Amino acid sequence: MNNYTNDNTARRYKAHVSIYGTTQLHLKNPYIIAWWSAAFPGFGHMLLSKYLRGYVLFIWEVVVNVKAHVNSSMIYSFQGNIDMAKEVLDTRWLLMYIPVYIFGIWDSYRTTVDLNKVYLLAEREEHQFNSFSLGALEINYLDKRNPFLSVMWSLFIPGLGQLYIHRILTAFFVIIWLVVFYYYSHVQEAVVLLFLGKVKEATSVIKPAWLLFIPSHYGFAVYDSYINTIENNKLFEKDLRNHLTKNYQSKSFQILKGQKVK
C-alpha cells in the first residue's frame, strides 16, 4: 500500500496513521459518548480521539473526586447511611466538581454531533490519507485485527487491547492510571489475602474510594479497544478496495444495474 501524507490539500481527512496510533473519523452515537462521560469524565472525549481534553477531564475527576470524597459518599449511600454520606462530602471541592462533570457530558455530546457531520463531508470528499507510518521509534500501518483478542487482552490488563491495535497514547494513559488505582486501592493485596482465606484482612486492607475507579477503567478499556478494532478493520478494507480499484481495475469495467450477466 502506498504511503501518503495528510498534506492539508483536502479540507477534511477521514483518518491519519502515525507512529502513535491510527486516528479516524466514523459515525458515533452521541448518547453513548455522553454516557461514557457520565460514567467517568474524559472517557467520552478519549473515544472521540480528543486526547488532551480527555486527559484533563480524567485527571480532574480523580483529583477532585478524591478531595471531595465523592466515592466515599457513594459507598455510604449504597449502605443506606445517608447522614454519613452527607457528612463526609467536602462542599468546597464538590462545588467545583459538579460544573466540570456536567460540562464533560455536554461537550462530548456536542462534539460527537459535530464530528459526525465532519465525517459525512470527509466521506464525500474521499481524499487519500496516509496508511503507513515508519519512524525511528515505531511502525504503524493499517491492517485487520481480531476484536475478540482486543477484548481478551483488555480484560487481562486494561491498555493491552489498545497496544494490540496500536493506540499508543490511550494505552500508556490507561496502563499508568491502572497502576495508580491498583496501588491506592490495595486491591491486589486484598486478592492475595482472599486466596489465603483471610477474608477479614482482605476486607480491611481495601480502600473502597479508590476501588470504585477500577470498574469504569476496565469497562472503558474493553469498549474502546473493541470498537476501534472494528472501525480500523472497516477502514483497512475500504482503503484496500480503493487502492485496488484505482491501480488494478480496468477503466472500462462497469457494473450495469438491472442487467443479468449471461
Side-chain angles (χ1 to χ4, degrees):
M1 225 175 279
N2 294 329
N3 182 18
Y4 299 88
T5 57
N6 295 2
D7 54 5
N8 290 324
T9 57
R11 291 192 67 190
R12 301 170 184 88
Y13 294 91
K14 289 189 299 183
H16 176 71
V17 176
S18 71
I19 62 174
Y20 302 108
T22 300
T23 304
Q24 65 164 305
L25 294 173
H26 59 86
L27 293 177
K28 302 180 182 70
N29 188 326
Y31 293 103
I32 292 178
I33 301 299
W35 184 90
W36 276 110
S37 292
F40 206 115
F43 281 163
H45 290 85
M46 281 190 268
L47 287 169
L48 296 172
S49 297
K50 305 276 287 184
Y51 297 116
L52 294 180
R53 197 175 305 186
Y55 296 162
V56 168
L57 288 172
F58 183 98
I59 295 171
W60 173 273
E61 162 67 16
V62 175
V63 173
V64 180
N65 186 308
V66 171
K67 294 292 186 179
H69 306 291
V70 174
N71 282 355
S72 298
S73 178
M74 289 174 60
I75 293 168
Y76 286 121
S77 297
F78 295 154
Q79 296 172 344
N81 193 346
I82 305 301
D83 292 334
M84 194 63 187
K86 295 177 180 178
E87 183 178 342
V88 76
L89 282 174
D90 188 332
T91 54
R92 294 175 302 173
W93 286 94
L94 185 65
L95 291 177
M96 291 190 294
Y97 177 86
I98 295 174
V100 177
Y101 181 83
I102 296 173
F103 169 82
I105 298 172
W106 171 81
D107 188 65
S108 63
Y109 179 90
R110 175 197 62 83
T111 304
T112 306
V113 173
D114 287 345
L115 289 180
N116 283 346
K117 296 176 182 177
V118 172
Y119 167 77
L120 294 175
L121 293 172
E123 185 75 7
R124 289 179 64 87
E125 191 166 342
E126 198 65 55
H127 198 278
Q128 181 63 53
F129 57 88
N130 61 315
S131 56
F132 183 90
S133 181
L134 176 65
L137 297 176
E138 268 289 355
I139 302 172
N140 187 25
Y141 50 90
L142 283 180
D143 67 340
K144 295 194 73 172
R145 303 288 169 90
N146 189 332
F148 172 77
L149 291 178
S150 296
V151 171
M152 181 190 73
W153 285 116
S154 295
L155 287 173
F156 283 152
I157 293 292
L160 295 184
Q162 280 73 20
L163 283 179
Y164 170 63
I165 60 174
H166 205 94
R167 284 173 65 81
I168 302 298
L169 295 176
T170 302
F172 281 3
F173 190 84
V174 169
I175 290 173
I176 289 170
W177 277 99
L178 178 70
V179 173
V180 173
F181 294 152
Y182 273 167
Y183 179 82
Y184 284 104
S185 68
H186 300 280
V187 66
Q188 292 181 312
E189 297 175 41
V191 170
V192 173
L193 290 170
L194 282 175
F195 284 148
L196 296 174
K198 301 178 180 179
V199 179
K200 290 185 178 180
E201 290 86 341
T203 305
S204 62
V205 78
I206 205 79
K207 302 296 182 184
W210 285 93
L211 182 65
L212 285 185
F213 289 126
I214 296 179
S216 298
H217 211 64
Y218 265 87
F220 168 77
V222 171
Y223 180 81
D224 178 78
S225 62
Y226 177 78
I227 290 297
N228 281 287
T229 303
I230 291 176
E231 294 299 333
N232 285 355
N233 288 347
K234 292 179 183 178
L235 186 67
F236 168 78
E237 291 173 354
K238 186 162 189 178
D239 182 68
L240 180 60
R241 183 167 60 248
N242 291 341
H243 172 74
L244 295 176
T245 300
K246 180 179 179 181
N247 294 281
Y248 296 99
Q249 182 174 291
S250 173
K251 294 183 179 179
S252 61
F253 177 79
Q254 292 183 350
I255 297 178
L256 301 178
K257 294 182 179 180
Q259 296 188 13
K260 296 182 178 179
V261 178
K262 297 182 179 179

